[in-house]
Amino acid sequence: MSRELSRRELYDLVWDRPLTKIAVDLGISDVALHKICVRHRIPLPGRGYWAKLTAGKRVAKAPFREIRDQSLNRITIQGDILGALPANVQEARSKTKAALESTPRSIETIKTSTLIDNDLHTLVKATHAKIASYKRPPYEFVSVAGTKHFAVTCTVGQADRVGRILDRLVTQAEAIGYSFEQSDGGIRLVANDEKITLTLVEQNDRHAHVQTEKEIAALEKWKIESELKQKRGQWVSDWDRPRISEWDYLPSGRLVLELDKGYHYDRIRRKFSDGKRQRIEELLDQVLTSAAMIAANEKAKREQDRLRKLEYEEADRRRKEADRLERLRVKRWELLEQQMSRLEKAQRVEKFISAFKEANADQELTTDCERFLHWAETEARRLRSALSPEVIAGMLDRHKLMDDTTDIYSWVQFN
């Protein structure tokens, strides 16, 4: 979905409602909308503008100014990312944005002085203290996790910054109704009753490795020994050649905060990284908004799974019911075929006896012939007796064959 606007039209929009609400209507993120406004030189309301306006306080509105560069006057917005998200996810995003905008907070610059644990939120103290307690070189990473700590991997020099980021995150999260819970993999964020993993990791940079004197000496020693072996006719292989890495991976100081770690295809942002123009400290509102979207999306997926399961169960129930009714129909036919076969057989026997006697009325039958006719008459009576209403009713009652709710098995035999 794309939409074209003029600078004036977009200016009127951003001063009429908060960016978060307009962005949802346009199908993009508020961050993307903010960048569009900056690129096209459209002034924006400052922080707290809408809260003051709602409270009835006087606020100043930046005037709209025309510009000479007409290429900036037409704005095309491709809104297909947020628009593709479920409605409940978009709603959760809007509500969380509004809650964060109305929540007072102090945005201070990250301090360079030593951080004291007592300055931190109770949940963060143990994590900061654990990282700071390691005696490691500045190029070595340390990792903490577990029930009392957030899942963090960084160098010891990042301890204070990590502490302040987590402190601000926890404080702001609790201000909008979120909570945290302990888990073996680290303290998790609980947003709208959904448990979301949270990891904070320092990235490393790749640098071309410069060989040390020790590495050079070891390599030269191996070459000399290999040449001596060759001269003596011994077998030489590279298996014991000193391995010297081509690259060194050193801490960069850049942090990455990730929610709900793993592979996902729902287009919800989960990674927040330091960049050239941004730091994680400035992205915490986006982190908490994403947490709300993740939670809403999980609820939506569970509801979809529940409905899908119900549909499957209903389809399975219908299939089983159709199978049951078909088995019942087949068994009724089996009984009917059995009774028709008996009747036909009895009639054929009786017809034979009658015809035989008529054809041989003037002859004297032998004893065996008389006995054979007597046996045939007995069989005809036996077949007829099996066709009596009492016998048929007994079989029908025994197998509940005329009860439409009967679940009869295919191997049942009528005797």
Side-chain angles (χ1 to χ4, degrees):
M1 178 187 73
S2 64
R3 181 173 174 182
E4 283 202 358
L5 299 167
S6 66
R7 287 182 66 250
R8 181 72 202 199
E9 288 172 332
L10 187 54
Y11 168 85
D12 291 338
L13 284 175
V14 299
W15 285 95
D16 182 59
R17 290 188 300 157
L19 283 185
T20 52
K21 296 182 179 179
I22 301 169
V24 171
D25 293 341
L26 295 175
I28 60 175
S29 69
D30 60 308
V31 176
L33 182 57
H34 184 277
K35 289 180 179 179
I36 290 171
C37 291
V38 172
R39 189 182 310 124
H40 290 267
R41 303 179 195 171
I42 299 171
L44 292 167
R47 181 180 286 276
Y49 175 87
W50 297 106
K52 292 177 183 177
L53 189 64
T54 303
K57 297 181 180 180
R58 294 183 62 184
V59 288
K61 181 178 178 180
F64 176 79
R65 300 183 186 280
E66 298 289 349
I67 57 175
R68 293 183 179 179
D69 189 351
Q70 292 302 308
S71 65
L72 297 177
N73 192 49
R74 298 306 302 173
I75 305 165
T76 301
I77 297 176
Q78 296 288 346
D80 59 350
I81 296 178
L82 288 176
L85 295 173
N88 68 313
V89 176
Q90 296 187 43
E91 182 182 0
R93 180 180 181 276
S94 299
K95 287 183 178 179
T96 306
K97 284 280 188 182
L100 287 167
E101 287 176 358
S102 63
T103 301
R105 86 284 301 277
S106 58
I107 304 298
E108 78 282 357
T109 306
I110 292 297
K111 302 174 183 176
T112 56
S113 59
T114 303
L115 185 65
I116 302 173
D117 286 339
N118 288 335
D119 295 336
L120 297 173
H121 191 284
T122 306
L123 284 173
V124 182
K125 290 180 181 178
T127 303
H128 173 261
K130 184 73 173 178
I131 298 172
S133 68
Y134 283 99
K135 305 299 180 184
R136 297 282 179 85
Y139 54 82
E140 285 190 12
F141 288 98
V142 297
S143 294
V144 297
T147 57
K148 295 182 180 180
H149 306 103
F150 286 89
V152 179
T153 299
C154 65
T155 51
V156 175
Q158 293 288 332
D160 285 0
R161 185 182 172 209
V162 166
R164 290 191 175 95
I165 289 172
L166 292 175
D167 176 75
R168 187 180 298 174
L169 179 68
V170 172
T171 302
Q172 195 63 18
E174 291 184 340
I176 60 172
Y178 293 175
S179 61
F180 294 83
E181 72 161 24
Q182 296 179 341
S183 74
D184 292 339
I187 296 175
R188 295 185 295 193
L189 173 65
V190 181
N192 301 324
D193 301 323
E194 295 295 326
K195 300 169 185 178
I196 302 170
T197 60
L198 189 155
T199 58
L200 188 58
V201 178
E202 182 178 357
Q203 295 179 307
N204 51 35
D205 283 336
R206 189 177 73 169
H207 302 271
H209 177 70
V210 179
Q211 295 183 2
T212 64
E213 292 182 2
K214 185 177 179 181
E215 290 172 337
I216 295 172
L219 185 58
E220 286 299 320
K221 180 181 178 183
W222 178 84
K223 288 179 179 179
I224 293 170
E225 291 176 350
S226 297
E227 289 174 0
L228 289 173
K229 288 180 180 179
Q230 285 179 332
K231 289 178 181 180
R232 292 195 293 265
Q234 294 177 307
W235 181 69
V236 177
S237 172
D238 282 350
W239 72 270
D240 58 347
R241 180 189 179 100
R243 305 298 175 191
I244 300 175
S245 176
E246 185 180 356
W247 304 98
D248 289 328
Y249 295 89
L250 302 175
S252 65
R254 299 191 306 275
L255 297 178
V256 176
L257 192 155
E258 186 170 0
L259 299 173
D260 195 22
K261 193 170 184 178
Y263 294 100
H264 305 276
Y265 305 95
D266 51 25
R267 309 176 88 177
I268 297 175
R269 184 180 179 184
R270 287 172 167 80
K271 276 190 177 182
F272 304 85
S273 310
D274 287 333
K276 293 181 179 179
R277 298 182 180 179
Q278 68 179 20
R279 288 164 69 84
I280 288 179
E281 291 85 346
E282 302 163 3
L283 304 176
L284 297 183
D285 278 9
Q286 296 180 40
V287 172
L288 296 175
T289 302
S290 285
M293 296 169 70
I294 291 169
N297 193 58
E298 287 300 313
K299 291 183 188 301
K301 284 197 319 189
R302 274 204 306 275
E303 179 63 14
Q304 289 174 357
D305 291 342
R306 185 185 71 83
L307 294 176
R308 196 176 296 115
K309 182 180 178 182
L310 288 176
E311 289 176 4
Y312 172 81
E313 289 175 348
E314 177 61 18
D316 188 56
R317 186 195 67 76
R318 288 200 202 98
R319 179 185 60 78
K320 289 179 178 177
E321 177 64 7
D323 289 346
R324 184 189 68 79
L325 292 173
E326 178 61 17
R327 287 197 306 272
L328 185 59
R329 188 185 69 84
V330 168
K331 285 300 173 183
R332 286 172 177 174
W333 266 105
E334 282 185 16
L335 180 60
L336 181 58
E337 292 281 0
Q338 182 189 72
Q339 301 309 311
M340 287 193 300
S341 176
R342 284 175 175 169
L343 177 59
E344 289 171 3
K345 190 179 289 187
Q347 289 173 342
R348 286 169 56 205
V349 172
E350 291 168 349
K351 184 177 180 181
F352 166 78
I353 293 171
S354 177
F356 184 86
K357 286 182 176 180
E358 183 178 347
N360 300 283
D362 56 347
Q363 296 185 31
E364 185 176 351
L365 301 178
T366 65
T367 303
D368 285 344
C369 192
E370 289 285 353
R371 289 182 61 194
F372 174 73
L373 290 176
H374 178 70
W375 172 84
E377 290 172 345
T378 303
E379 285 298 305
R381 286 194 298 272
R382 183 182 64 80
L383 290 170
R384 287 283 186 181
S385 66
L387 294 170
S388 68
E390 294 78 14
V391 174
I392 294 176
M395 281 192 291
L396 294 174
D397 184 62
R398 183 163 60 255
H399 298 289
K400 293 184 171 48
L401 204 58
M402 297 314 296
D403 183 351
D404 289 340
T405 64
T406 296
D407 189 4
I408 191 167
Y409 298 109
S410 58
W411 55 83
V412 169
Q413 299 293 322
F414 302 116
N415 299 317

